[in-house]
C-alpha cells in the first residue's frame, strides 16, 4: 500500500509505493532540503506553491515552522516554538464549536481549504487558506499548511 509523506519544511512530497513493508521506518528526512523528519499523510496532498508548513505536537504546540512561514506571517520559528497553533498565529474566522484544529485533533480527520484569518506579526489581519492534517504516528499532533488567500 502506498504511503504518503510531506516535508514540514519545504513541502516536498515523498511516496513509498513499492510495497516493501518497513522501508518507511527508514525515512530519515527530506531528500530535497535535508529537514530532519517527514510527516505522514493518509492521502497524497499537493500543497499550494507558496504554502508555509507548521508541525505541532499532540497539544497543538508548534514544533517546527517551515520555509515560507516567515514570509507569510512575519514570525520566525523561534517565536513560535511551544505556542499553541491558534494562538501563535492569532487564527480566527471560526466559531468555538467549529475550531478546525480541535476537529482535526478530536476526530483524526483532515480539514482542507479552511478560509481563516491570520494575524501577521505586524498586527495586520491576513486572509489565509489553511489545510490541516492529523498525525498518524504514536506521538500524535498535526501539520498545518498556511497559504495566502485572494478572495
Ligand atoms: Zn524538505
Amino acid at each position: 500500500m502506498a504511503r504518503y509523506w510531506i516535508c514540514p519544511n519545504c513541502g516536498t512530497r515523498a511516496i513509498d509505493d513499492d510495497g516493501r513493508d518497513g522501508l518507511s521506518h527508514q525515512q530519515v528526512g527530506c531528500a530535497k532540503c535535508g529537514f530532519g523528519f517527514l510527516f505522514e499523510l493518509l492521502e497524497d496532498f499537493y500543497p499550494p506553491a507558496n504554502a508555509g508548513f507548521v508541525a505541532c505536537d499532540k497539544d497543538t504546540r508548534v514544533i517546527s515552522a517551515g520555509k515560507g512561514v516567515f514570509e507569510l506571517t512575519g514570525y520566525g520559528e523561534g517565536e513560535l516554538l511551544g505556542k499553541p497553533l491558534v494562538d501563535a498565529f492569532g487564527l480566527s474566522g471560526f466559531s468555538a464549536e467549529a475550531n478546525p484544529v480541535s476537529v482535526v485533533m478530536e476526530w483524526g480527520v483532515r480539514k482542507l481549504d479552511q478560509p481563516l484569518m491570520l494575524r501577521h506579526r505586524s498586527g495586520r489581519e491576513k486572509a489565509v487558506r489553511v489545510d490541516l492534517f492529523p498525525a498518524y504516528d504514536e506521538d500524535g499532533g498535526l501539520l498545518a499548511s498556511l497559504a495566502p488567500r485572494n478572495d
Side-chain angles (χ1 to χ4, degrees):
M1 205 177 91
R3 297 180 75 179
Y4 304 97
W5 311 79
I6 196 158
C7 171
N9 182 46
C10 73
T12 295
R13 297 156 49 250
I15 301 168
D16 173 13
D17 59 357
D18 60 11
R20 279 180 288 167
D21 281 343
L23 185 73
S24 314
H25 296 298
Q26 292 162 32
Q27 292 270 16
V28 287
C30 176
K32 188 173 175 195
C33 74
F35 190 71
F37 70 96
L38 296 177
F39 189 94
E40 183 167 13
L41 304 170
L42 258 202
E43 298 160 62
D44 206 358
F45 170 68
Y46 294 84
N50 45 9
F53 289 90
V54 182
C56 300
D57 69 10
K58 61 176 171 43
D59 299 315
T60 79
R61 294 179 192 281
V62 175
I63 54 174
S64 83
K67 190 170 152 285
V69 171
F70 176 75
E71 286 79 354
L72 181 67
T73 70
Y75 291 104
E77 187 179 59
E79 299 174 276
L80 299 167
L81 293 177
K83 292 189 184 155
L85 179 66
V86 170
D87 300 345
F89 296 105
L91 295 178
S92 61
F94 51 85
S95 66
E97 304 79 51
N99 177 336
V101 174
S102 305
V103 170
V104 168
M105 295 307 288
E106 194 169 333
W107 298 97
V109 293
R110 49 168 66 186
K111 292 283 276 181
L112 301 183
D113 217 359
Q114 301 289 302
L116 303 181
M117 298 301 290
L118 172 151
R119 197 179 50 249
H120 188 273
R121 193 172 191 280
S122 67
R124 198 159 33 94
E125 294 285 320
K126 234 174 151 170
V128 288
R129 167 200 158 161
V130 180
D131 299 295
L132 297 163
F133 305 90
Y136 296 104
D137 60 18
E138 58 263 27
D139 295 336
L142 85 160
L143 181 72
S145 159
L146 311 169
R149 174 162 58 95
N150 306 309
D151 54 30

